[in-house]
Amino acid sequence: MKERVSVIFIERGEIDVLDGAFVVVDVTGVRTHIPVGGVACVMLEPGTRVSHRAAALAARVGTLLVWVGEAGVRLYSSGQPGGARADRLLYQARLALDESLRLKVVRKMYAVRFGEEPPARRSVEQLRGIEGARVRRTYQLLAQQYGVKWSGRDYDAEDWDSADLPNRCLSAATACLYGVTEAAVLAAGYAPAVGFIHTGKPLSFVYDMADIYKFETVVPIAFKVAASNPAGNPERAVRLGCRDIFRQTKLLDRIIPDIEDILGAGEVPRPEAPADAVGPALPNPESLGDAGHRS
C-alpha cells in the first residue's frame, strides 16, 4: 500500500479492460492507460461507465473504486477489495464492544491526534465533546491564518451550490482523505463500519482514522484554495493539492502502522489467523533476494 499513488479521479469516459490493461476510453475513442495496481483509490466522477471486467480487476489488485458526485460527495463504493480478515475483524470488534477496551483505544486516538494525553477519568462521550471543541477552534485558527471568512462547518449534500466556498473546498478535500483511508483500512483487513469515536455509520472507523491526519493534510489545502478564490473549478485545485500533500507527508506509509499501534492500545493480543484463512488483500510477493533487494 505504501508504494502506491494515493488517489486519481476519472470523469467522462468508459472504463474497461482492453488487452489486459485498465483503460479509460473517451468519446473520441482515445485510450488512457491507468496503472490500477499502483493506485490506492480511484474516484469515479459523473460521466463514467465501468465494465464488469474493470471492476473485477480493481478488486483483484486491491484498488478501491469510489463513485463520487460533482463535489466529491460519496454516492457508492465498490466494496471491499480482498475482503475483511476474520481474525482482524474479531479483534477489532472485541475492542469496540468492551467499553473499557474501547476507552483505551479512544484515548490513544486522542493522544496521536493532538500530541498530548487526554484528561484522566473521562468517558468516551466526554472525550468526544472535548475533541469537538478543539476541532471547531482549529477550524477557526486555520481560517484566520489563511484569511478565509469562516462561519462554521455547514453544507447540504443535496444542495451543493448552497454551501460557501470554504465548505465546498473542505468537502472535496475530506472526500479524498476518506477514500485513501478506506482503501488502507480494507487493505489491512479491518472493517470500515466498526468505529470507536464515530459509531453507527458505514465508514465510522474510516472517519476515526482520517481525523488523525485531517488538520495536517487536507484542511490547510482546502483553506488555501478557498483563500485564492480560483475561477472555474476550485474542487479540482483542492484535489491536486491533496494528491501532493499525501505524497509529501507519506500518508500511505503511515495509516496501516498507525491502525496497528492504536488498536494495540487496547492491550489485547490479536488472535492468530486460522491456517485456512484468506490472505491479505495486498500480499507481499516472495523475494529471491535478502532484505533491501527487490525481487
Side-chain angles (χ1 to χ4, degrees):
M1 174 61 69
K2 68 182 181 183
E3 306 254 343
R4 295 190 171 205
V5 175
S6 58
V7 60
I8 63 172
F9 285 80
I10 300 175
E11 64 177 348
R12 293 190 291 276
E14 296 194 8
I15 303 173
D16 204 347
V17 178
L18 300 175
D19 300 327
F22 193 93
V23 299
V24 182
V25 184
D26 67 16
V27 293
T28 64
V30 174
R31 299 183 185 183
T32 302
H33 285 222
I34 305 293
V36 66
V39 179
C41 178
V42 176
M43 298 284 199
L44 305 173
E45 296 187 89
T48 56
R49 300 176 68 180
V50 184
S51 73
H52 182 279
R53 288 191 300 173
L57 176 60
R60 281 199 303 273
V61 300
T63 297
L64 182 68
L65 298 180
V66 181
W67 278 256
V68 296
E70 290 280 357
V73 178
R74 172 89 39 106
L75 299 180
Y76 177 75
S77 172
S78 67
Q80 299 187 18
R85 289 278 303 275
D87 54 323
R88 306 285 176 89
L89 185 58
L90 292 172
Y91 170 62
Q92 181 185 6
R94 179 181 178 186
L95 294 171
L97 290 171
D98 186 305
E99 284 302 316
S100 63
L101 300 181
R102 179 187 171 203
L103 180 58
K104 291 181 180 180
V105 173
V106 170
R107 290 181 62 85
K108 181 64 173 181
M109 287 180 170
Y110 187 107
V112 172
R113 182 173 186 182
F114 297 115
E116 62 183 45
E117 289 297 319
R121 296 185 296 278
R122 298 293 193 278
S123 66
V124 171
E125 289 71 23
Q126 288 172 324
L127 289 177
R128 187 186 290 129
I130 295 171
E131 179 195 39
R134 292 192 65 161
V135 165
R136 288 189 293 273
R137 180 59 179 160
T138 304
Y139 275 129
Q140 293 172 353
L141 292 175
L142 284 171
Q144 292 174 6
Q145 178 181 339
Y146 287 95
V148 174
K149 183 179 179 181
W150 179 250
S151 55
R153 190 74 172 103
D154 183 24
Y155 70 98
D156 182 357
E158 302 299 326
D159 186 10
W160 179 246
D161 291 333
S162 66
D164 58 20
L165 180 60
N167 273 288
R168 296 206 311 273
C169 289
L170 278 170
S171 292
T174 54
C176 294
L177 179 60
Y178 293 155
V180 170
T181 306
E182 183 181 2
V185 167
L186 293 172
Y190 293 103
V194 182
F196 295 85
I197 297 175
H198 297 84
T199 57
K201 297 181 180 180
L203 298 178
S204 291
F205 190 49
V206 173
Y207 300 149
D208 283 353
M209 293 304 303
D211 280 353
I212 293 172
Y213 316 107
K214 182 183 295 184
F215 287 103
E216 67 170 290
T217 56
V218 300
V219 175
I221 294 296
F223 280 132
K224 183 178 179 180
V225 172
S228 67
N229 195 21
N233 188 347
E235 289 85 5
R236 174 176 170 77
V238 168
R239 291 165 185 167
L240 292 174
C242 289
R243 179 199 63 189
D244 293 340
I245 198 67
F246 291 159
R247 184 186 303 116
Q248 293 167 12
T249 59
K250 300 185 186 314
L251 182 63
L252 287 177
D253 290 22
R254 300 163 53 192
I255 297 177
I256 294 178
D258 283 350
I259 291 174
E260 302 291 354
D261 183 45
I262 286 169
L263 295 184
E267 300 176 348
V268 173
R270 190 171 64 205
E272 294 293 329
D276 58 348
V278 175
L282 304 178
N284 290 320
E286 292 293 332
S287 174
L288 297 177
D290 57 10
H293 290 79
R294 293 186 181 274
S295 50

